[in-house]
PDB file of all heavy atoms in Angstrom:
ATOM      1  N   ARG A  68     109.763  86.258  93.367  1.00 84.00           N
ATOM      2  CA  ARG A  68     111.050  86.488  92.711  1.00 84.00           C
ATOM      3  C   ARG A  68     110.968  86.080  91.242  1.00 84.00           C
ATOM      4  O   ARG A  68     110.251  85.153  90.886  1.00 84.00           O
ATOM      5  CB  ARG A  68     112.163  85.685  93.389  1.00 84.00           C
ATOM      6  CG  ARG A  68     112.421  85.997  94.855  1.00 84.00           C
ATOM      7  CD  ARG A  68     112.859  87.390  95.172  1.00 84.00           C
ATOM      8  NE  ARG A  68     113.975  87.890  94.420  1.00 84.00           N
ATOM      9  CZ  ARG A  68     115.077  88.411  94.927  1.00 84.00           C
ATOM     10  NH1 ARG A  68     115.224  88.454  96.227  1.00 84.00           N
ATOM     11  NH2 ARG A  68     116.008  88.893  94.164  1.00 84.00           N
ATOM     12  N   GLU A  69     111.719  86.782  90.435  1.00 77.00           N
ATOM     13  CA  GLU A  69     111.823  86.500  88.999  1.00 77.00           C
ATOM     14  C   GLU A  69     113.253  86.060  88.709  1.00 77.00           C
ATOM     15  O   GLU A  69     114.086  86.041  89.600  1.00 77.00           O
ATOM     16  CB  GLU A  69     111.529  87.784  88.196  1.00 77.00           C
ATOM     17  CG  GLU A  69     110.076  88.136  88.086  1.00 77.00           C
ATOM     18  CD  GLU A  69     109.312  87.241  87.132  1.00 77.00           C
ATOM     19  OE1 GLU A  69     109.901  86.668  86.198  1.00 77.00           O
ATOM     20  OE2 GLU A  69     108.102  87.112  87.328  1.00 77.00           O
ATOM     21  N   ASN A  70     113.514  85.812  87.447  1.00 78.00           N
ATOM     22  CA  ASN A  70     114.910  85.550  87.107  1.00 78.00           C
ATOM     23  C   ASN A  70     115.690  86.847  87.273  1.00 78.00           C
ATOM     24  O   ASN A  70     115.141  87.938  87.167  1.00 78.00           O
ATOM     25  CB  ASN A  70     115.044  84.953  85.696  1.00 78.00           C
ATOM     26  CG  ASN A  70     114.651  85.926  84.609  1.00 78.00           C
ATOM     27  OD1 ASN A  70     115.160  87.055  84.547  1.00 78.00           O
ATOM     28  ND2 ASN A  70     113.767  85.499  83.737  1.00 78.00           N
ATOM     29  N   LYS A  71     116.985  86.721  87.556  1.00 76.00           N
ATOM     30  CA  LYS A  71     117.777  87.889  87.931  1.00 76.00           C
ATOM     31  C   LYS A  71     117.876  88.925  86.824  1.00 76.00           C
ATOM     32  O   LYS A  71     117.891  90.123  87.099  1.00 76.00           O
ATOM     33  CB  LYS A  71     119.160  87.467  88.402  1.00 76.00           C
ATOM     34  CG  LYS A  71     119.116  86.812  89.765  1.00 76.00           C
ATOM     35  CD  LYS A  71     120.482  86.583  90.325  1.00 76.00           C
ATOM     36  CE  LYS A  71     120.327  85.933  91.686  1.00 76.00           C
ATOM     37  NZ  LYS A  71     121.557  85.861  92.401  1.00 76.00           N
ATOM     38  N   SER A  72     117.927  88.494  85.568  1.00 75.00           N
ATOM     39  CA  SER A  72     118.043  89.488  84.486  1.00 75.00           C
ATOM     40  C   SER A  72     116.766  90.323  84.388  1.00 75.00           C
ATOM     41  O   SER A  72     116.828  91.524  84.137  1.00 75.00           O
ATOM     42  CB  SER A  72     118.367  88.825  83.149  1.00 75.00           C
ATOM     43  OG  SER A  72     117.304  88.004  82.721  1.00 75.00           O
ATOM     44  N   PHE A  73     115.611  89.711  84.619  1.00 76.00           N
ATOM     45  CA  PHE A  73     114.352  90.466  84.598  1.00 76.00           C
ATOM     46  C   PHE A  73     114.290  91.424  85.787  1.00 76.00           C
ATOM     47  O   PHE A  73     113.877  92.561  85.656  1.00 76.00           O
ATOM     48  CB  PHE A  73     113.163  89.508  84.610  1.00 76.00           C
ATOM     49  CG  PHE A  73     111.843  90.188  84.354  1.00 76.00           C
ATOM     50  CD1 PHE A  73     111.485  90.569  83.077  1.00 76.00           C
ATOM     51  CD2 PHE A  73     110.966  90.446  85.388  1.00 76.00           C
ATOM     52  CE1 PHE A  73     110.267  91.198  82.824  1.00 76.00           C
ATOM     53  CE2 PHE A  73     109.751  91.078  85.161  1.00 76.00           C
ATOM     54  CZ  PHE A  73     109.417  91.443  83.862  1.00 76.00           C
ATOM     55  N   GLU A  74     114.726  90.951  86.940  1.00 81.00           N
ATOM     56  CA  GLU A  74     114.718  91.796  88.138  1.00 81.00           C
ATOM     57  C   GLU A  74     115.675  92.972  88.032  1.00 81.00           C
ATOM     58  O   GLU A  74     115.462  93.999  88.662  1.00 81.00           O
ATOM     59  CB  GLU A  74     115.067  90.976  89.382  1.00 81.00           C
ATOM     60  CG  GLU A  74     113.938  90.105  89.854  1.00 81.00           C
ATOM     61  CD  GLU A  74     114.237  89.423  91.170  1.00 81.00           C
ATOM     62  OE1 GLU A  74     115.313  89.647  91.746  1.00 81.00           O
ATOM     63  OE2 GLU A  74     113.372  88.666  91.633  1.00 81.00           O
ATOM     64  N   LYS A  75     116.720  92.851  87.243  1.00 86.00           N
ATOM     65  CA  LYS A  75     117.694  93.929  87.094  1.00 86.00           C
ATOM     66  C   LYS A  75     117.256  94.994  86.093  1.00 86.00           C
ATOM     67  O   LYS A  75     117.939  95.995  85.930  1.00 86.00           O
ATOM     68  CB  LYS A  75     119.054  93.358  86.688  1.00 86.00           C
ATOM     69  CG  LYS A  75     119.753  92.658  87.823  1.00 86.00           C
ATOM     70  CD  LYS A  75     121.144  92.228  87.424  1.00 86.00           C
ATOM     71  CE  LYS A  75     121.837  91.590  88.613  1.00 86.00           C
ATOM     72  NZ  LYS A  75     123.212  91.220  88.276  1.00 86.00           N
ATOM     73  N   GLN A  76     116.128  94.762  85.433  1.00 90.00           N
ATOM     74  CA  GLN A  76     115.628  95.773  84.493  1.00 90.00           C
ATOM     75  C   GLN A  76     115.389  97.074  85.252  1.00 90.00           C
ATOM     76  O   GLN A  76     114.690  97.103  86.261  1.00 90.00           O
ATOM     77  CB  GLN A  76     114.329  95.306  83.850  1.00 90.00           C
ATOM     78  CG  GLN A  76     113.750  96.295  82.878  1.00 90.00           C
ATOM     79  CD  GLN A  76     112.447  95.810  82.267  1.00 90.00           C
ATOM     80  OE1 GLN A  76     111.908  94.778  82.628  1.00 90.00           O
ATOM     81  NE2 GLN A  76     111.932  96.563  81.334  1.00 90.00           N
ATOM     82  N   THR A  77     115.999  98.133  84.762  1.00 94.00           N
ATOM     83  CA  THR A  77     115.915  99.435  85.411  1.00 94.00           C
ATOM     84  C   THR A  77     115.037 100.367  84.594  1.00 94.00           C
ATOM     85  O   THR A  77     115.179 100.447  83.380  1.00 94.00           O
ATOM     86  CB  THR A  77     117.328 100.047  85.555  1.00 94.00           C
ATOM     87  OG1 THR A  77     118.133  99.135  86.275  1.00 94.00           O
ATOM     88  CG2 THR A  77     117.287 101.361  86.284  1.00 94.00           C
ATOM     89  N   PHE A  78     114.147 101.056  85.274  1.00 97.00           N
ATOM     90  CA  PHE A  78     113.301 102.051  84.621  1.00 97.00           C
ATOM     91  C   PHE A  78     113.868 103.428  84.926  1.00 97.00           C
ATOM     92  O   PHE A  78     114.146 103.751  86.085  1.00 97.00           O
ATOM     93  CB  PHE A  78     111.850 101.924  85.093  1.00 97.00           C
ATOM     94  CG  PHE A  78     111.265 100.588  84.742  1.00 97.00           C
ATOM     95  CD1 PHE A  78     111.191  99.584  85.682  1.00 97.00           C
ATOM     96  CD2 PHE A  78     110.834 100.329  83.447  1.00 97.00           C
ATOM     97  CE1 PHE A  78     110.687  98.341  85.355  1.00 97.00           C
ATOM     98  CE2 PHE A  78     110.327  99.084  83.104  1.00 97.00           C
ATOM     99  CZ  PHE A  78     110.251  98.086  84.064  1.00 97.00           C
ATOM    100  N   ASP A  79     114.034 104.233  83.893  1.00 97.00           N
ATOM    101  CA  ASP A  79     114.661 105.534  84.052  1.00 97.00           C
ATOM    102  C   ASP A  79     113.886 106.420  85.014  1.00 97.00           C
ATOM    103  O   ASP A  79     114.462 107.046  85.892  1.00 97.00           O
ATOM    104  CB  ASP A  79     114.819 106.220  82.692  1.00 97.00           C
ATOM    105  CG  ASP A  79     115.781 105.459  81.789  1.00 97.00           C
ATOM    106  OD1 ASP A  79     116.805 104.964  82.298  1.00 97.00           O
ATOM    107  OD2 ASP A  79     115.511 105.349  80.588  1.00 97.00           O
ATOM    108  N   ASN A  80     112.594 106.522  84.811  1.00 98.00           N
ATOM    109  CA  ASN A  80     111.713 107.238  85.740  1.00 98.00           C
ATOM    110  C   ASN A  80     110.425 106.450  85.871  1.00 98.00           C
ATOM    111  O   ASN A  80     109.964 105.827  84.916  1.00 98.00           O
ATOM    112  CB  ASN A  80     111.376 108.657  85.243  1.00 98.00           C
ATOM    113  CG  ASN A  80     112.560 109.589  85.325  1.00 98.00           C
ATOM    114  OD1 ASN A  80     113.282 109.761  84.356  1.00 98.00           O
ATOM    115  ND2 ASN A  80     112.765 110.205  86.480  1.00 98.00           N
TER     116      ASN A  80
END
Side-chain angles (χ1 to χ4, degrees):
R68 299 298 308 233
E69 282 286 334
N70 67 53
K71 288 189 180 189
S72 65
F73 190 77
E74 284 187 2
K75 286 186 177 183
Q76 180 181 5
T77 303
F78 298 100
D79 295 320
N80 289 95

